Amino acid sequence: MSETKILLSEKELPTRWYNIASDLPYSLDPPLGPDGKPVGPEALQPIFPQEIIRQEVSTERFIDIPEEVLEVYSLWRPTPMYRARRLEAFLKTPARIYYKYEGVSPAGSHKPNTAVAQAYYNRQEGVRKIATETGAGQWGSALAFACNLFGMECTVYMVRVSYEQKPYRRIMMETWGAEVLPSPTSRTGAGRKMLAQDPDCPGSLGIAISEAVEDAATHGDVNYSLGSVLNHVLLHQTVMGLEAKKQFELVGDYPDIVVGCVGGGSNFAGYAFPFIADKLKGARELRAIAVEPTACPTLTKGVYTYDFGDAVGLTPLLKMYTLGSSFVPPRIHAGGLRYHGDAPLVCGLKKHEFIEAVAYRQTEVFEAALAFARTEGIIPAPEPAHAIKCVIDEAVRCREEGKEKVIGFLLSGHGYFDLSAYEAYLSGKLEDYELPDEKIREALAALPRF
Ligand SMILES: *Cc1c(COP(=O)(O)O)cnc(C)c1O
């Protein structure tokens, strides 16, 4: 019998990240200030360390992973890649399906790949504390884990409704020594302003970002850290795709299709970019599919334009597919996919037709998640369950067309903190959200104009 788990030894851990900016056959649109003029990287100095800013604008093809970061990666990397034999048999598909699993990290997702690097560079440059925001808690727990390992403090502004409804991620962050505050807080000007308007304000990711950025900008030894969207975050995540390429080589396969879910774009990019590199060179034909929820259909229904990264308008304007920075998506269970825009690097590839995008409804996504859990065993997080739905559709198409394709996808995290979502699905209480076109038009009408 051939192998189910395709494993690499620690010696095979990639020692460099791959920077797709070096290979793009088009130029990237620069970030803009509120006046519509390009902003240079120096604008980021009050909240990011030099090395991160350098990486954000770098066009070097590969960037060395520091020894200290590799040492921490070795706690769970290289991560396993699996051949999904039982899922293939269940679907009666001639396709070969492979998934790379990031749920083996201490925080249970791919997010520590960048959290560890960001904490390291900050500590190198004398930063004492990192402030950040978190919604459901995936990013906050990854950063809390990373800061603790490098002896740094970590303050997490956690959206108040999540803080109250989802205590387990908060406890996880506190276990790693982070300070977790229900946002809005009375500690920042942004928080006090919200509380003055509504003392019972439930909070939002936009408000939490504003609080964390203000904390960093007003304290010399405090920096800010972002878990997705920006170029350096996607860069750090490519360690996954670089490993996956070696793992495909080991079994003598190469994917015809790679699939990942997209919230801000970091797990999709980290997995797919090293393969897309081959496509950009013309060396391989490959379909890369980004999967999103119909409740927040940025790549499939958004417009490609400049928009703010946050709800309050503190960040520079980024060129991306967006539904408008004031857009508040319905409360689907895949909290990590509720972002109004997407990473500029991912959006550029979509615009230039190097990648495709599809959107799925919440119930069909959970149906796919159950099929996966009942064949492969691992209970997926609601976010990568979107990728699973797409993989199942492609594998069924292979059966219908009698095609033996190779399909790879990233299982970005486990769903063991998301069991209430499974409970809702199993008891028939899960709802679908298809965003009506008029709501999308309304959101888009509020976009900034120049
Ligand atoms: C945060 C998160 C996502 C979405 O973020 P991306 O930047 O698009 O990867 C997806 N899956 C998991 C498990 C997450 O924690």
Side-chain angles (χ1 to χ4, degrees):
M1 198 190 90
S2 49
E3 280 165 39
T4 298
K5 291 193 297 304
I6 300 123
L7 303 172
L8 299 174
S9 73
E10 275 177 37
K11 285 198 288 294
E12 292 166 290
L13 187 54
T15 55
R16 302 181 303 175
W17 294 300
Y18 166 62
N19 181 11
I20 200 167
S22 67
D23 285 334
L24 296 176
Y26 49 86
S27 56
L28 287 166
D29 296 303
L32 301 181
D35 55 357
K37 296 211 177 83
V39 289
E42 61 290 342
L44 300 172
Q45 268 172 16
I47 57 171
F48 288 124
Q50 287 299 334
E51 179 56 25
I52 292 281
I53 295 172
R54 194 186 72 77
Q55 292 179 1
E56 186 62 22
V57 295
S58 168
T59 51
E60 270 173 88
R61 190 146 200 267
F62 289 99
I63 292 178
D64 286 338
I65 306 176
E67 198 59 45
E68 293 84 345
V69 172
L70 284 172
E71 201 177 279
V72 176
Y73 276 180
S74 73
L75 286 172
W76 72 95
R77 305 211 72 85
T79 61
M81 185 163 94
Y82 292 77
R83 172 86 184 269
R85 291 181 191 286
R86 298 171 62 87
L87 180 64
E88 290 169 18
F90 171 73
L91 298 172
K92 300 187 176 64
T93 177
R96 295 194 291 286
I97 303 174
Y98 295 91
Y99 61 96
K100 188 160 175 66
Y101 183 43
E102 291 293 311
V104 295
S105 82
S109 76
H110 65 292
K111 290 202 171 76
N113 296 330
T114 186
V116 169
Q118 293 193 48
Y120 170 75
Y121 291 125
N122 273 289
R123 203 212 38 190
Q124 280 298 92
E125 295 181 28
V127 172
R128 175 181 59 86
K129 181 167 105 173
I130 300 182
T132 197
E133 74 286 338
T134 201
Q138 295 265 29
W139 170 242
S141 44
L143 194 67
F145 158 75
C147 284
N148 172 60
L149 287 184
F150 289 115
M152 300 172 77
E153 290 175 41
C154 180
T155 295
V156 182
Y157 292 87
M158 186 172 189
V159 177
R160 172 180 272 155
V161 276
S162 303
Y163 182 94
E164 284 163 1
Q165 288 169 5
K166 300 193 171 173
Y168 295 112
R169 283 268 169 202
R170 166 178 63 78
I171 297 165
M172 198 174 186
M173 293 182 253
E174 289 169 349
T175 302
W176 279 317
E179 174 189 40
V180 186
L181 306 167
S183 165
T185 70
S186 54
R187 196 180 278 191
T188 66
R192 285 190 295 272
K193 196 170 138 202
M194 297 313 298
L195 289 172
Q197 286 167 15
D198 175 10
D200 297 318
C201 178
S204 73
L205 212 47
I207 299 168
I209 294 176
S210 307
E211 288 207 276
V213 170
E214 183 182 325
D215 189 336
T218 53
H219 297 96
D221 55 355
V222 181
N223 263 356
Y224 172 71
S225 186
L226 199 65
S228 187
V229 180
L230 297 181
N231 302 347
H232 68 272
V233 179
L234 276 52
L235 170 81
H236 300 153
Q237 292 295 354
T238 58
V239 67
M240 303 186 295
L242 293 166
E243 284 179 10
K245 278 184 100 169
K246 292 190 189 189
Q247 286 162 311
F248 273 111
E249 247 171 62
L250 277 181
V251 290
D253 258 337
Y254 189 92
D256 297 299
I257 307 173
V258 291
V259 182
C261 65
V262 172
S266 75
N267 83 89
F268 169 79
Y271 179 66
F273 280 7
F275 294 101
I276 294 173
D278 296 341
K279 180 172 176 158
L280 291 170
K281 268 190 298 191
R284 293 278 186 175
E285 287 204 15
L286 167 94
R287 290 175 62 207
I289 310 177
V291 191
E292 55 186 19
T294 51
C296 191
T298 44
L299 289 171
T300 49
K301 294 205 169 164
V303 291
Y304 189 57
T305 185
Y306 273 104
D307 196 8
F308 292 108
D310 67 322
V312 186
L314 289 178
T315 70
L317 290 147
L318 303 173
K319 187 78 175 275
M320 58 186 175
Y321 283 94
T322 177
L323 295 168
S325 59
S326 58
F327 173 71
V328 181
R331 283 205 193 169
I332 52 166
H333 287 281
L337 306 187
R338 291 175 69 240
Y339 184 60
H340 68 272
D342 280 312
L345 281 173
V346 170
C347 294
L349 289 167
K350 169 73 171 50
K351 180 69 188 168
H352 292 88
E353 298 181 358
F354 288 104
I355 66 170
E356 305 164 33
V358 287
Y360 289 110
R361 285 176 291 112
Q362 181 160 250
T363 50
E364 60 188 359
V365 163
F366 272 83
E367 193 187 339
L370 250 74
F372 186 83
R374 290 177 180 182
T375 50
E376 295 295 317
I378 297 167
I379 298 178
E383 291 87 358
H386 287 73
I388 294 171
K389 168 61 182 160
C390 173
V391 167
I392 290 178
D393 279 6
E394 291 295 333
V396 167
R397 189 166 308 143
C398 286
R399 179 182 73 207
E400 289 163 0
E401 296 174 357
K403 295 215 171 108
E404 229 184 87
K405 290 189 181 158
V406 176
I407 306 174
F409 75 96
L410 190 81
L411 183 50
S412 55
H414 64 61
Y416 301 123
F417 289 98
D418 303 284
L419 293 177
S420 60
Y422 280 87
E423 183 181 36
Y425 176 75
L426 292 168
S427 60
K429 290 194 190 117
L430 203 68
E431 283 170 44
D432 273 334
Y433 299 96
E434 185 103 33
L435 217 57
D437 284 343
E438 77 207 48
K439 265 258 186 267
I440 295 173
R441 267 197 301 275
E442 218 172 85
L444 294 177
L447 280 171
R449 273 178 226 290
F450 301 99

